C-alpha cells in the first residue's frame, strides 16, 4: 500500500468512528429522556432539549439585535 491509500483509509475510518459515536450519543440521550419521562413527565423532553442545546454551541442575541454601548441598534 502506498501512503495515499493509507491516509484515505484512515480518514474513512475516522469518519465512520465519528458517525458511530454520534449515533450512540443520540441513542443514549433519547434513552435518558424516556427514563426521565417515566419518572417526571416532561423532564425527559427538557433533558433532550438541554442535550441538543449543549451540542449546538453558543448563540448570539435573539432576533439578531445588537446594541452598542451608546444604546444604538447596530444591526
Amino acid at each position: 500500500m502506498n501512503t495515499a491509500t493509507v491516509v484515505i483509509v484512515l480518514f474513512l475510518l475516522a469518519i465512520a468512528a465519528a458517525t458511530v459515536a454520534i449515533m450512540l450519543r443520540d441513542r443514549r440521550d433519547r434513552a435518558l429522556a424516556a427514563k426521565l419521562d417515566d419518572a417526571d413527565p416532561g423532564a425527559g423532553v427538557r433533558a433532550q432539549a438541554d442535550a441538543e442545546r449543549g451540542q449546538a454551541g453558543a448563540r448570539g442575541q435573539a432576533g439578531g439585535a445588537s446594541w452598542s454601548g451608546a444604546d444604538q441598534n447596530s444591526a
Side-chain angles (χ1 to χ4, degrees):
M1 282 190 174
N2 61 12
T3 305
T5 304
V6 171
V7 170
I8 291 172
V9 168
L10 289 175
F11 182 71
L12 292 175
L13 286 174
I15 290 174
T19 302
V20 169
I22 290 170
M23 289 172 56
L24 289 176
R25 182 175 25 182
D26 186 48
R27 182 182 292 176
R28 185 190 67 213
D29 288 344
R30 288 180 190 215
L32 177 63
K35 183 177 168 183
L36 290 174
D37 271 342
D38 290 341
D40 177 20
V45 175
R46 289 189 299 270
Q48 179 70 23
D50 288 342
E52 290 175 2
R53 202 174 304 118
Q55 293 177 8
R59 294 197 171 111
Q61 294 179 346
S66 177
W67 294 87
S68 67
D71 290 334
Q72 296 177 350
N73 188 350
S74 62

